[in-house]
Amino acid sequence: MAIDFTLTPEQRSLQKTAREFSRDLLGPVAEKADAEPDPQKAFAMMKPVYVEAYKLGFAFGFLPEEYGGAGATNLDTQIISEEICAVDPGFGCVLLVNGLALMPLIWYGSEDQKKRWLTEATSDPTGEYIAGYNVSEATGTANFDHPGTGGTGLQMTAEYDQGKGEYVLNGAKYWPSSSGGWDLKGANVNMFIVRTDRNKGGKEGLSCMLVPRGTPGMDFKAPIDKVGHRTNQNNWIEFDNCRIPEENAFAVGDGDLVISKAFTWSGPVAGIAAVGVARSALEWTMEWSKTYTAAGDKPIIHHQAVGYMLADIAMRIEASRYLCWKAAHYLDMYQEEGQAFGAMSKVFSCELLFDAVFKCMQVVGTNSLNREYPLERYLREAVILPIYDAGTIGMQRRKIWGVMSDPDYDLNAFRDCRPVPFKKSMEGAGL
């Protein structure tokens, strides 16, 4: 059968392992970390759980087997991510960022770079190895590919010192995840998108730099205090003549393509994270509605208004899950090339989430505001997901627009699983 949504025995085993890990190990720690007022302490509290996730292959299992990973497919990643994010999407984001930081090496790095950095990530005996992905800046990121210069697009620079064979980094990044590491002295490795040519716009002048922990010239400020994703660290980093060897650079001049492809890879993962949170909100609300009477003579699930609302939520969750699975399947077919379709799964699912959680709160009523119950936390997470990971009304929607506006775009390509090559001309829609 060409179309089959049945999980293989191996995938069912993976799902069971991820569900048990999330329920038994992640859940109790994440609940305490979410309540911790200090964002760095909250993140550090997650380290023992992360070590266990590392041992299970959840931290870097998406990397190829030849570099020590498990060679997990994008569909496998969907199965793991939904179970983790149904319990805590903030921790799911920590794992996701490992991929955002290192997957670009698979696509654009040299063989020497892959062997060094990917093998290092998968062979840490402590299980604490973590990577940071750094694109966002204080001025914003949505127009990273703006063709202008002098104040538009990304502004962190890396100037090449030919005499020493080094790049010199200056500027700042704001909002990147995991970059400060467990002790706020740096992740094991940070991947930065920087401007290597001040005289060129975003499509031509951006490149990738790998900066290992302990490199002089990086200053990590206190992490940003957020309303949700409390278990995920978001940073503010300043650079003052930070020097790295030229062999730490890759995709020179093609950093824009790295951003587009990385956020394509992560799109279905962010989408399935939203499915996980929505699923948990619905499951809890269903149980509530089966016993709560609201001072009536029967549980509220027997009222038509409640039944219809829960049915609508359930239908939309299923639609989102299968859109994410389809996008992941497509990315597996074409080496993560499917920029519009990864974005579609992210936008659709994450925007569904907020409405789903709010409708659950309407069903529960005033009690949904009680922090003794989980819906207020689900609402805080629902605020985060449509905005992070390249957003929905910014980079992700503009990426869909750019692909669809191409003269050669085939509107039925996603349906029929036909390739859609991504071109630089598809970037910068609306600029």
Side-chain angles (χ1 to χ4, degrees):
M1 185 175 180
I3 300 173
D4 187 353
F5 293 96
T6 305
L7 300 184
T8 66
E10 292 79 11
Q11 288 171 329
R12 288 192 180 280
S13 176
L14 192 63
Q15 184 184 61
K16 181 176 182 290
T17 300
R19 185 171 294 169
E20 291 173 350
F21 161 81
S22 301
R23 180 192 63 214
D24 300 337
L25 298 178
L26 173 60
V29 179
E31 184 175 356
K32 293 177 182 177
D34 178 72
E36 167 56 52
D38 184 323
Q40 178 57 25
K41 288 183 180 178
F43 180 65
M45 288 170 67
M46 304 307 298
K47 184 165 74 169
V49 179
Y50 181 89
V51 170
E52 294 304 313
Y54 186 101
K55 294 176 183 177
L56 290 170
F58 295 161
F60 295 103
F62 46 79
L63 295 178
E65 292 180 357
E66 62 190 291
Y67 304 112
T73 67
N74 285 294
L75 272 172
D76 292 338
T77 301
Q78 290 283 292
I79 295 166
I80 297 167
S81 298
E82 181 178 342
E83 298 306 319
I84 288 173
C85 295
V87 173
D88 181 47
F91 185 76
C93 185
V94 176
L95 303 179
L96 170 69
V97 169
N98 282 337
L100 285 168
L102 296 182
M103 286 295 286
L105 273 175
I106 296 173
W107 307 320
Y108 295 95
S110 68
E111 187 58 30
D112 286 343
Q113 288 172 328
K114 293 174 188 178
K115 287 179 178 177
R116 176 186 172 185
W117 298 103
L118 303 185
T119 304
E120 179 180 288
T122 58
S123 60
D124 179 17
T126 70
E128 298 175 6
Y129 195 102
I130 195 168
Y133 176 65
N134 301 263
V135 177
S136 302
E137 296 181 358
T139 54
T141 311
N143 295 313
F144 74 93
D145 51 2
H146 196 285
T149 58
T152 57
L154 298 183
Q155 294 299 302
M156 182 175 162
T157 61
E159 295 193 49
Y160 183 58
D161 183 341
Q162 189 168 5
K164 294 186 177 180
E166 295 177 332
Y167 283 95
V168 184
L169 281 59
N170 283 288
K173 291 293 183 183
Y174 195 67
W175 279 113
S177 292
S178 302
S179 305
W182 303 114
D183 56 4
L184 209 57
K185 294 180 180 179
N188 294 82
V189 65
N190 272 299
M191 196 275 273
F192 291 90
I193 306 290
V194 299
R195 185 168 295 282
T196 46
D197 192 333
R198 295 174 181 268
N199 300 314
K200 293 182 179 179
K203 289 186 183 181
E204 304 296 335
L206 298 179
S207 306
C208 299
M209 302 285 155
L210 294 164
V211 184
R213 174 181 169 88
T215 303
M218 284 193 296
D219 182 21
F220 295 93
K221 308 295 184 181
I224 298 167
D225 192 2
K226 311 182 301 298
V227 64
H229 273 39
R230 301 287 301 174
T231 55
N232 175 47
Q233 179 199 70
N234 290 94
N235 299 102
W236 170 19
I237 315 167
E238 291 186 343
F239 292 81
D240 182 12
N241 293 320
C242 176
R243 290 179 170 269
I244 61 167
E246 60 183 324
E247 56 264 30
N248 287 21
F250 68 99
V252 176
D254 285 327
D256 55 317
L257 296 179
V258 171
I259 295 172
S260 293
K261 190 163 182 174
F263 283 134
T264 295
W265 173 81
S266 67
V269 187
I272 206 70
V275 169
V277 177
R279 182 190 95 187
S280 291
L282 177 61
E283 288 173 351
W284 191 87
T285 303
M286 283 284 293
E287 289 304 310
W288 174 275
S289 68
K290 289 177 181 178
T291 58
Y292 184 67
T293 64
D297 61 351
K298 56 188 174 184
I300 61 174
I301 197 170
H302 297 292
H303 292 285
Q304 186 180 62
V306 172
Y308 280 8
M309 191 172 287
L310 294 176
D312 285 344
I313 297 169
M315 287 187 289
R316 295 176 70 192
I317 289 173
E318 292 300 314
S320 291
R321 176 181 290 113
Y322 302 132
L323 176 57
C324 291
W325 282 15
K326 173 64 183 289
H329 170 69
Y330 186 94
L331 296 183
D332 280 330
M333 291 181 68
Y334 296 112
Q335 291 76 51
E336 288 73 47
E337 290 288 342
Q339 279 76 355
F341 314 133
M344 286 178 183
S345 62
K346 196 276 180 185
V347 172
F348 184 84
S349 302
C350 290
E351 292 193 345
L352 162 144
L353 171 61
F354 188 89
D355 185 62
V357 174
F358 184 60
K359 280 184 166 60
C360 285
M361 296 181 78
Q362 288 178 299
V363 168
V364 173
T366 305
N367 285 302
S368 67
L369 306 177
N370 187 342
R371 299 195 72 173
E372 180 182 347
Y373 303 123
L375 287 181
E376 67 85 23
R377 183 181 174 196
Y378 296 146
L379 185 67
R380 288 189 286 111
E381 301 296 0
V383 172
I384 300 287
L385 281 149
I387 298 172
Y388 89 146
D389 193 65
T392 52
I393 64 168
M395 294 164 66
Q396 294 285 22
R397 265 195 172 86
R398 196 155 60 84
K399 184 161 52 177
I400 301 169
W401 176 22
V403 172
M404 292 183 68
S405 62
D406 185 83
D408 298 324
Y409 177 68
D410 178 1
L411 192 61
N412 296 317
F414 189 35
R415 180 196 68 187
D416 297 337
C417 287
R418 292 196 295 270
V420 179
F422 190 73
K423 316 167 191 174
K424 278 182 177 277
S425 60
M426 293 174 174
E427 297 178 320
L431 296 177

